[in-house]
Structure formats: structure tokens, C-alpha cells
Amino acid sequence: MRSILILIILSILTLLSSCRKDFVFEPSKGNLEFSKDTVYLDTVFTNIGSSTYTLKVYNKSSSDIKIPKIQLGKGSSSKYRMMIDGMEGVDEDNSGHGDGKIFNNVELLANDSLYVFIETTADVASANQTDFLYTDQIKFDIGSNLQTVELVTLIQDAIFLYPQKFVDANTNEITYESLPLGNESIYGFILDHNDHNDEYIWTKNKPYVIYGYAGVPEGETLNVEAGARIYFHANSGIIVGSGGSLKINGTVSSTEALENEVIFEGDRLEPEYADVPGQWGLIWLSQGSVNNQINHLTLKNATVGILVGDVENTTNTTLKIDNSQIYNASNIGILARTAKIEGTNLVINSAGQASLACTEGGSYFFKHCTFNNDWASSKQMAVLISNYRTEDNVTFPIPLNQAEFDNCIIYGSNQVEVFLDKINGANFNYQFNNCLVKFNDSGTLLATNSLYDEIRNQQNGNIKNKNPNFLNRNKNKLNIDATSAAFAKGNSLYFVPFDILGVARTLPPDMGAYQNAPFPE
């Protein structure tokens, strides 16, 4: 038995030794293949790092090869950097880490592949001054076996606004400018008339990139001119203090580029971030801010689009908002707390909790607006209205002086898209006139709630549970055509002459922010 066991072990060892093959790497012959011949790194702001992009390199031969050199065409001066299969390249400055520019003797097994990860941090001065493209190439091998892959990125110059850094001369401790927020403070800064040709006037000449919260104090007005593009870093936004004002002065655009629209969005420019909610903070029109006016603003991908007022509000914070769009807020599109808002041709689409929340009383008037919410949640809603505040588990009634919706569309993916949250002890005045409302209360606790009677019974020209037939809700295109249930169902008493796109309305008007038009093929 023992001799049989020994024979088996010897046989296994012989088999293993006969299968062993030492790797012998041959020089590359210039027959590499690539997942793409040009790597386009999406637009970046000057001196702000890009995302990481991937190139895959294939050795489809039957030989193990060694690539003598892989390097960037501009060598160590290139604004690009690479990592190849976890390697950082040649250590040119003796720092112990490669700089991602040059790699020697890279091995690649037969019928195998390797990954090249590519990033860039470049300034506009490095780019071609006619098209602001910064280019380079990755060179594989040398001499007659040379193969290349092109690298291209657009560098966009910008004005950067951010809190100042302070260094204590004695301790070298670093602190940053901040804004007071009750008993706390928030990472932010007060705008300055003496910097950047007056930081209280944002123009279309260059985009603005905001780090932290830009503060507008008492007696000051932030004016944002038509065509301005504002990009907010994570946890950034605008705070308009008591006695301060925000005026956004966009105008009608004639092309899909929205050349005259003011656009607020996050500072990640890559296409995959185009519709990602919650990339930045909010626009906060805080307690006592006055005469806030917004026209032709597109705001997207914030946490809260616009917060009007706050829990300590004793004076109605005012906002007039027209011809504007708010998309993809991770929490709420517009959150109002004891505020006064007038809105026409306003579109809010898709929010984690509510597209529009008129809370803690106040006064609200909306004409020809479209509020839709298709967020994937059973608790989301298009419109929420309440007349109280809860603080430390104590509820305080606050008068809702008026919440009026005229010729509006209130719709979404849930069965009920409007929620009226009333408590006794304060006024709760509201009215829906000639609105299309998603309200299927069958089998819900709202089925016997008299607050909803004018919607439930389709009084005042209201329509319930009819399809507005939006062009494409997922792409924030809430346009309608003649097949919409909102077509010609508005009331001329609440007529607004032009729609959000500047198209003249006809009589009887359509409900919502858009005048009907044929959908494109």
C-alpha cells in the first residue's frame, strides 16, 4: 500500500513538472490593439482634476511580450498622468512614487490585456488658444513599432469663488472663512465688490465655480445676468441673508443651447453626472431676505433647489419666480417656510420628497405651473401644503393665508400627488382652479377627507387622473401636445400671455407651463 502511494505522488510530481513553463517575454512587435484610438476626457475647469478614464490594451498574439516603453508624448511636462495595471511609472523625482508619465518594460501575457487609467489637471494657458483643447498622446513602444493613442480634453476657464484661508502666525493652525448660521457657522464667504470685477454681478463672460456658500448680506443684491453659468461644488450654494436680495435676470432663448438662460448645476461636467441628484447644496433665501426675483433659471441636481424662509421666520420672505425649471433635487425642489411666493411658468420635476413644499403657513400663488414627481418612492409627492411647524415635538399652528394654483398640472408616479396637511388653530386657505391633478384616493385614508373635495369632485374646472402626456418625463421634457388632457382646459381668467419658452398662448389656454406644440419625430 505504501509503495502504491509513493508511485501516485511521484506520478503527480512528474505531471506537474512536465506542465511547467517559464514565461519568456519577447519584445513587442507593434501589434497591440486598443479599446479606442482616442480618449476624450470630458470638459474640466482650469486646474481642477478630471475623472479617471480607462483605455484597454490587448495582446492578441500567442506570445508573451514586453513593451519597452509606454509614455506620454509630452513626457514629464504633460498635464496628463497614467496608472498602468497598478504601476505609477518611473520615479523621476526620487519621491518613491512614479509620476505617471513614463513606464519601462511593461509585460503583457499572450492573449491578455492591461488597463491604462488616465487623468488630467490642466490650466487654460496650456490649451490651444483657438479651441481651448489640451491634447497629448500615449506612445506604446519605440522606433518602427511605435503605436499611439490620442488624448483630448476641453479646458474651460472660470472664475472661482471660495472661502479665504487663514494661517495663525504662532501655531500655524489653518482656519477658513465661514458664515454665521444661528449658533453655528457654515463653510462660506461674503461676496466682495472689490474682487473679480465685483462679485455681486455674475456675467456670462466666464462660468463661475463656487466652493462653500456665497453669502449676500443685508443691503446687498446679487445680480446674475442672462446667459450666466454657475457651477457648485459639493456642499456649496448661495445664502441670501436678512435684508439681502437675489435677482436672476435670464431671458428667453432661441436655441436648445439656452444661450440666455441662467443655469445652476454641480461642477462635475462629465455626461454621467448630468442627471445625478444631490451634487450640491441649495439656494437659501433666508429669514427676512427681500424682493428676490428669478426669471429664466434652470436649476438641477441640488439637494434642495431653493429654500425660502426658515424655521425661525417671523417676516415673510418673498420670491417672485417665473419661466424657470428645477430638476432632480435629492430632497425638495422648492421648500417654502412661512414665505410669500408668486410663480408663473414654473416647472419642477423629480425630487426625493416633494417637488414643491409650501410649509409652515405663508402665501403662495402659482399660475400656469407644472409640478411633476416620478421619484422611485412610495412617499414622494408633487405638492405638499401645511400650516404648522414642529419643534422639539411641539406643534405650532401658523396661518396659511393663501395657497392658490391656477391652470396648473400636478402629476407624478404615485396615486396621490397633492397632500394637504392641516391642523386646527390657524387658517388653512387654499384653492385649485382649472388644474389637472393626479388624485386617485380610492382605498386611502384621504377618501373621506373633505379638504380634497374640490379636486375629488372636479370643481372649479379641475380635472383628476387624466394623462398630461408629457413629451419625456425622464428627460425633464414636460412639454405637451394636442393629445394632452391639459390641452385647452385652462381658464382665461388666469391667463399668462406667453409660456415658459416665450411661445404665445391661445384661448382657451392649456394647463401647465407649456403651450402645446407637435412633438418632434
Side-chain angles (χ1 to χ4, degrees):
M1 184 69 180
R2 181 178 179 185
S3 60
I4 294 174
L5 182 59
I6 292 173
L7 286 173
I8 292 173
I9 294 172
L10 289 174
S11 299
I12 293 172
L13 292 173
T14 301
L15 180 62
L16 290 174
S17 64
S18 66
C19 292
R20 181 183 174 186
K21 178 183 177 182
D22 291 327
F23 294 116
V24 178
F25 290 92
E26 301 178 359
S28 171
K29 297 179 180 179
N31 295 323
L32 299 171
E33 296 185 24
F34 309 102
S35 58
K36 56 192 77 173
D37 56 14
T38 302
V39 179
Y40 295 96
L41 287 77
D42 290 300
T43 305
V44 297
F45 292 114
T46 187
N47 290 324
I48 301 298
S50 72
S51 291
T52 301
Y53 294 78
T54 303
L55 173 72
K56 200 168 185 180
V57 183
Y58 302 93
N59 172 20
K60 295 188 176 181
S61 75
S62 58
S63 301
D64 304 326
I65 63 172
K66 181 179 291 185
I67 308 169
K69 188 178 290 292
I70 300 176
Q71 73 171 60
L72 292 165
K74 296 179 180 178
S76 59
S77 66
S78 178
K79 302 297 183 180
Y80 292 100
R81 55 191 175 274
M82 301 183 292
M83 179 176 287
I84 299 178
D85 272 2
M87 299 181 294
E88 297 178 324
V90 175
D91 180 10
E92 294 187 318
D93 59 3
N94 297 315
S95 65
H97 298 283
D99 61 3
K101 314 291 185 180
I102 301 171
F103 297 76
N104 293 325
N105 298 319
V106 179
E107 297 174 348
L108 182 54
L109 298 177
N111 297 307
D112 202 354
S113 62
L114 59 80
Y115 283 96
V116 180
F117 300 101
I118 310 149
E119 299 175 342
T120 187
T121 303
D123 56 41
V124 72
S126 304
N128 186 325
Q129 295 304 298
T130 59
D131 55 17
F132 297 103
L133 293 177
Y134 181 73
T135 61
D136 200 346
Q137 59 182 199
I138 307 175
K139 292 183 175 182
F140 295 84
D141 217 326
I142 54 177
S144 60
N145 293 328
L146 177 66
Q147 295 177 269
T148 61
V149 172
E150 302 300 317
L151 301 176
V152 180
T153 189
L154 175 65
I155 310 298
Q156 191 168 162
D157 199 8
I159 295 172
F160 294 86
L161 303 180
Y162 49 86
Q164 296 299 309
K165 180 173 71 172
F166 305 101
V167 180
D168 188 289
N170 297 317
T171 65
N172 289 326
E173 181 182 358
I174 297 174
T175 58
Y176 291 90
E177 188 178 359
S178 62
L179 297 175
L181 192 63
N183 296 324
E184 301 179 359
S185 61
I186 189 170
Y187 181 70
F189 58 98
I190 298 294
L191 295 171
D192 191 333
H193 285 289
N194 298 314
D195 285 342
H196 301 102
N197 296 317
D198 195 344
E199 293 178 348
Y200 285 94
I201 302 175
W202 294 357
T203 73
K204 67 177 182 180
N205 297 334
K206 290 182 180 181
Y208 291 76
V209 182
I210 312 299
Y211 285 77
Y213 282 86
V216 182
E218 182 177 5
E220 296 286 2
T221 299
L222 171 59
N223 285 281
V224 186
E225 296 183 355
R229 300 293 188 259
I230 317 300
Y231 300 90
F232 295 92
H233 196 62
N235 301 313
S236 299
I238 298 171
I239 298 179
V240 181
S242 178
S245 301
L246 172 66
K247 295 189 186 301
I248 295 177
N249 306 305
T251 59
V252 174
S253 299
S254 58
T255 73
E256 291 186 358
L258 299 176
E259 68 279 2
N260 296 321
E261 190 89 351
V262 172
I263 298 180
F264 286 1
E265 60 182 312
D267 66 347
R268 299 301 300 269
L269 304 184
E270 302 89 334
E272 58 265 33
Y273 287 92
D275 298 310
V276 176
Q279 294 181 44
W280 56 285
L282 76 163
I283 306 304
W284 188 349
L285 309 177
S286 68
Q287 174 184 349
S289 64
V290 295
N291 299 322
N292 299 294
Q293 299 176 18
I294 295 175
N295 198 11
H296 284 285
L297 168 69
T298 294
L299 186 158
K300 53 187 179 180
N301 304 333
T303 301
V304 173
I306 304 175
L307 170 58
V308 189
D310 60 23
V311 295
E312 298 175 352
N313 198 4
T314 57
T315 304
N316 279 353
T317 301
T318 60
L319 169 64
K320 189 175 188 304
I321 181 168
D322 304 303
N323 308 305
S324 295
Q325 310 165 75
I326 300 174
Y327 301 138
N328 302 328
S330 59
N331 288 356
I332 298 174
I334 290 182
L335 172 57
R337 292 170 170 166
T338 322
K340 182 176 182 180
I341 300 177
E342 296 180 16
T344 63
N345 292 334
L346 171 64
V347 177
I348 307 180
N349 186 38
S350 190
Q353 298 175 24
S355 292
L356 172 69
C358 300
T359 69
E360 302 178 15
S363 296
Y364 310 99
F365 297 86
F366 296 101
K367 292 183 180 181
H368 280 290
C369 296
T370 300
F371 305 109
N372 185 74
N373 202 352
D374 292 323
W375 197 274
S377 166
S378 61
K379 296 181 179 180
Q380 62 80 4
M381 63 195 75
V383 173
L384 164 68
I385 303 170
S386 75
N387 69 336
Y388 65 89
R389 176 176 82 240
T390 299
E391 189 175 312
D392 296 329
N393 296 318
V394 178
T395 299
F396 303 92
I398 303 175
L400 178 68
N401 297 315
Q402 186 65 22
E404 183 173 329
F405 296 80
D406 304 323
N407 292 350
C408 293
I409 297 174
I410 301 172
Y411 206 74
S413 55
N414 283 344
Q415 293 303 304
V416 173
E417 287 293 344
V418 60
F419 187 59
L420 305 176
D421 193 8
K422 173 190 175 183
I423 67 168
N424 294 327
N427 291 338
F428 194 82
N429 297 320
Y430 64 98
Q431 191 166 16
F432 297 87
N433 299 308
N434 295 84
C435 294
L436 187 158
V437 183
K438 181 76 170 290
F439 185 76
N440 184 1
D441 62 338
S442 178
T444 72
L445 296 175
L446 303 180
T448 58
N449 191 326
S450 61
L451 288 175
Y452 298 89
D453 281 351
E454 67 180 32
I455 298 173
R456 180 184 295 111
N457 301 325
Q458 302 188 89
Q459 301 168 359
N460 304 333
N462 293 310
I463 301 171
K464 68 174 183 178
N465 302 329
K466 298 294 185 180
N467 194 344
N469 193 25
F470 296 126
L471 174 57
N472 192 326
R473 291 183 285 180
N474 292 331
K475 294 184 177 181
N476 298 317
K477 295 183 180 295
L478 303 188
N479 314 65
I480 65 170
D481 66 3
T483 67
S484 172
F487 172 70
K489 293 298 193 299
N491 190 321
S492 59
L493 289 174
Y494 316 113
F495 181 70
V496 177
F498 296 93
D499 80 349
I500 189 173
L501 300 177
V503 177
R505 285 193 168 94
T506 56
L507 294 175
D510 302 331
M511 297 171 173
Y514 292 94
Q515 173 70 9
N516 75 88
F519 291 161
E521 296 294 334

